[in-house]
Amino acid sequence: MPFPSPADDFEERTLRLDDLIVHPSTTFFIRIINLSMEPTFHRGDLLIIDRALPPLDYRAVLVVYKEHYYVRRIITEDERIILRADNPSFVDIVVCPDEIDLWGVVTYSIHKDSAPTRKLPRRVK
């Protein structure tokens, strides 16, 4: 019988996308296309949205307002809701609760590294 490797105790599980989903029947994915949630979420990021979670204050949510989709932080105050972007260039949207349709809470974002690349010169030996 061979000697067991000490590294066997530190074996990591394979990361699976299913591990990020708590409620499969109420979870969907969207791709963010604007800069309203920069620097938290970037253009092109894939967001995992869960419709079964409650929209607690300051959580990022997906809402429909005037037939447009918005990803914003939700803040509830008395009889109004403030939808706040993380990017200070975007103004707050202040609405009554019956003016929006809450589609779900953002649980994860998957960010693609889109840093510019350049071809490095070849090294001559």
Side-chain angles (χ1 to χ4, degrees):
M1 181 162 105
F3 182 73
S5 169
D8 289 344
D9 293 337
F10 300 101
E11 187 175 336
E12 292 187 31
R13 289 184 29 204
T14 303
L15 178 64
R16 298 178 321 138
L17 191 57
D18 291 342
D19 294 339
L20 305 179
I21 299 172
V22 178
H23 306 104
S25 63
T26 60
T27 299
F28 60 98
F29 300 85
I30 65 163
R31 188 168 303 279
I32 200 159
I33 59 171
N34 64 23
L35 301 174
S36 64
M37 293 302 284
E38 288 270 352
T40 309
F41 307 127
H42 307 278
R43 180 182 292 165
D45 284 0
L46 188 66
L47 302 183
I48 301 176
I49 311 288
D50 192 336
R51 293 192 72 153
L53 296 177
L56 303 175
D57 277 353
Y58 295 97
R59 292 288 308 262
V61 295
L62 174 66
V63 298
V64 178
Y65 173 63
K66 294 187 177 179
E67 299 181 8
H68 289 85
Y69 292 92
Y70 295 92
V71 175
R72 297 287 194 273
R73 302 252 174 232
I74 190 167
I75 305 164
T76 54
E77 290 183 350
D78 299 326
E79 296 178 13
R80 67 182 189 156
I81 293 176
I82 300 171
L83 300 172
R84 180 166 293 155
D86 287 352
N87 186 337
S89 300
F90 288 77
V91 297
D92 291 348
I93 301 171
V94 181
V95 297
C96 294
D98 59 346
E99 292 179 307
I100 63 169
D101 186 16
L102 179 71
W103 274 53
V105 176
V106 177
T107 57
Y108 287 95
S109 69
I110 301 171
H111 176 70
K112 179 181 179 184
D113 182 19
S114 58
T117 60
R118 63 183 177 92
K119 193 171 188 175
L120 296 174
R122 294 182 70 174
R123 296 181 83 184
V124 179
K125 292 185 179 186

